[in-house]
Amino acid sequence: MRKRSRLLTASSAALVLMASLTAFAPRALAHGDWGHVHVTGWAIENLPNGELRELFEDPEVFGAALYGAGFPDSGYWPEEPATREFAEYSHWEPFVQAFIEYLRENHPPPFETLESRKLVGFLLGCASHGLQDELFDSTFLFQVDERDNFGQDEADAGTDFFLYDDGHFRFDELADFVPYDILLELYADLPLEITADTIQRGVDTQNAVYLNARNYSTIAQAFVDESRVRIPWTSEHYLDAGVPGSLRAEIAPTMRYMEAIWERLHDRFDDDELIIHTYPESPRRLRSHRAGTVDGWVTLVLGRAISIASASGELLDADGNAVDATFTGTRWGHPYPRLVRFMPNADLEPGADYTARLAAGAELIGGGETARPAELSFQVSCTDAGDPTCPDLGPIAEPVIDGSYVPPPAESEDSSCSITPPSRSAVWLLA
């Protein structure tokens, strides 16, 4: 493990970021780095009792995961082709799958050494970062555009400013952990040559300019008021559990994705449980019947990426008739997404029931394909609050973000997580 070098003093780092944040940082990031660190930490804290929660009881493993959660963006900061090369690759499931295969061969379960456990933590942090970007970019950013008439540049930095200003910063003392030798092996086939110095430049710049709580406080205080004026809806809803892709709405899928990778590391992931989360999350209703709005989209989150070129899906009404809808993957068109979206091309019927179905035969990363179709049945929200078709579902379950969550005993039927898991009556695979 290498020690990071302090490229900039606290004051000069603040000045550099204040001068350059709008020039290059937002263009590079797809979700605030501090948001990645915190959503990942919150997801770990909300894990159920079991093997994975026990893994993170070691502060060093927890710290490796937090550092991994920031790492994929490190290569964007120097604005160099080679650093951007490893940064981009580190965001996606081909990197995650290669890391899983490396660990299974070289540091296999039961991960008895501290080194192996920290490597698992780092992997889970990196993987969580990539999934969070897909969720944020493919759902929440469209809300920012609709509600605030702004986009990625404002939302990426702004949500981090709000986290700090609203008093949610807790994981602000990051301990460096970068497995250089392993990363170099995983990056060996990239088009551009990646060296230890390449990685180091990215890590050093990110640490000095952004992932440094003392420096960052100066930046956040300088920009937060302007951000609240520019994106007021985002300021109010970035932690709204009912809004798909918000930071709080990322916690449950992040947690379940960690659990899926843990199972993949042990070669016991069940492809019959491919869907790990949904928007809407059962029993919640689809937020809008209107076409052309993200509130009317259905999103299935997967515990293992699929080849979107091999995948197909359809939206069906209660009678089994196909509804005109666009089936697609992640916003940025990556060939191996961890989510698929169903976007109606015509208004749905308020209060009616529908089914979003992912067909069998989708190729899975790492080999194989889905043997059976998977589907989500859901209800569309009513337009009249008093409509008996849509009885009150009560408050939305929210994960705990202040560190006070204590999971129920493992033998409890409600021990899966601190928030309602996907209902097996709503998400299942057909025989």
Side-chain angles (χ1 to χ4, degrees), residues 407-428:
E411 65 271 17
S412 169
E413 293 181 1
D414 188 37
S415 64
S416 57
C417 58
S418 60
I419 49 183
T420 305
S423 169
R424 290 303 168 219
S425 66
V427 182
W428 70 95

Side-chain angles (χ1 to χ4, degrees), residues 200-220:
Q200 187 76 54
R201 285 196 300 276
V203 168
D204 282 347
T205 307
Q206 182 188 45
N207 285 343
V209 176
Y210 202 81
L211 287 183
N212 179 305
R214 183 174 61 178
N215 294 349
Y216 185 77
S217 66
T218 302
I219 308 309

Side-chain angles (χ1 to χ4, degrees), residues 27-46:
R27 187 171 68 247
L29 305 178
H31 181 302
D33 280 358
W34 283 113
H36 283 303
V37 169
H38 282 79
V39 172
T40 300
W42 295 334
I44 292 171
E45 291 181 336
N46 280 271

Side-chain angles (χ1 to χ4, degrees), residues 103-400:
L103 291 180
R104 288 180 59 188
E105 180 178 351
N106 298 281
H107 298 270
F111 309 117
E112 295 179 340
T113 68
L114 177 59
E115 178 190 9
S116 65
R117 293 193 295 272
K118 289 175 70 173
L119 290 172
V120 172
F122 182 83
L123 163 62
L124 291 173
C126 290
S128 296
H129 178 124
L131 175 69
Q132 291 157 16
D133 275 347
E134 288 196 60
L135 298 173
F136 190 82
D137 292 8
S138 300
T139 57
F140 191 76
L141 279 184
F142 287 95
Q143 291 275 14
V144 177
D145 180 54
E146 288 181 17
R147 311 284 184 164
D148 286 330
N149 199 31
F150 280 105
Q152 184 173 357
D153 288 2
E154 293 76 20
D156 294 346
T159 49
D160 271 2
F161 297 153
F162 305 149
L163 270 180
Y164 174 84
D165 195 55
D166 292 339
H168 296 300
F169 259 44
R170 291 176 44 232
F171 311 117
D172 54 2
E173 294 294 332
L174 300 181
D176 295 10
F177 178 75
V178 182
Y180 287 88
D181 292 343
I182 295 174
L183 291 173
L184 289 175
E185 186 165 338
L186 298 179
Y187 297 154
D189 293 331
L190 294 181
L192 298 179
E193 181 184 11
I194 309 299
T195 67
D197 286 340
T198 308
I199 301 172
Q200 187 76 54
R201 285 196 300 276
V203 168
D204 282 347
T205 307
Q206 182 188 45
N207 285 343
V209 176
Y210 202 81
L211 287 183
N212 179 305
R214 183 174 61 178
N215 294 349
Y216 185 77
S217 66
T218 302
I219 308 309
Q221 292 172 44
F223 285 104
V224 65
D225 290 342
E226 179 183 352
S227 290
R228 290 199 192 276
V229 171
R230 289 168 67 84
I231 48 175
W233 180 91
T234 304
S235 174
E236 291 294 322
H237 294 278
Y238 77 104
L239 286 178
D240 187 338
V243 178
S246 76
L247 298 193
R248 196 187 295 267
E250 292 177 353
I251 296 173
T254 296
M255 178 180 67
R256 293 170 188 144
Y257 186 46
M258 287 184 180
E259 293 175 320
I261 293 176
W262 180 253
E263 296 301 295
R264 289 162 66 181
L265 283 165
H266 289 81
D267 195 23
R268 61 192 187 200
F269 179 75
D270 187 350
D271 291 336
D272 284 359
E273 301 294 328
L274 182 64
I275 298 175
I276 58 173
H277 192 75
T278 63
Y279 299 131
E281 183 177 10
S282 181
R284 312 312 302 190
R285 301 183 180 99
L286 191 66
R287 289 165 58 89
S288 175
H289 70 285
R290 297 288 188 187
T293 173
V294 66
D295 280 340
W297 298 351
V298 179
T299 303
L300 309 181
V301 186
L302 313 176
R304 186 178 173 192
I306 61 172
S307 165
I308 195 63
S310 68
S312 62
E314 57 184 346
L315 190 61
L316 307 171
D317 65 18
D319 295 323
N321 300 312
V323 175
D324 183 19
T326 298
F327 172 79
T328 188
T330 189
R331 179 177 187 173
W332 305 119
H334 193 275
Y336 280 97
R338 285 161 284 205
L339 59 81
V340 292
R341 292 173 291 162
F342 301 77
M343 301 183 290
N345 295 317
D347 288 353
L348 302 179
E349 181 182 347
D353 295 320
Y354 292 85
T355 298
R357 176 178 295 167
L358 174 63
E363 296 176 5
L364 294 159
I365 195 157
E369 63 180 32
T370 56
R372 290 172 292 279
E375 61 182 36
L376 165 69
S377 293
F378 62 94
Q379 185 184 21
V380 179
S381 292
C382 296
T383 54
D384 182 355
D387 192 330
T389 306
C390 296
D392 184 17
L393 296 175
I396 295 175
E398 295 187 348
V400 175

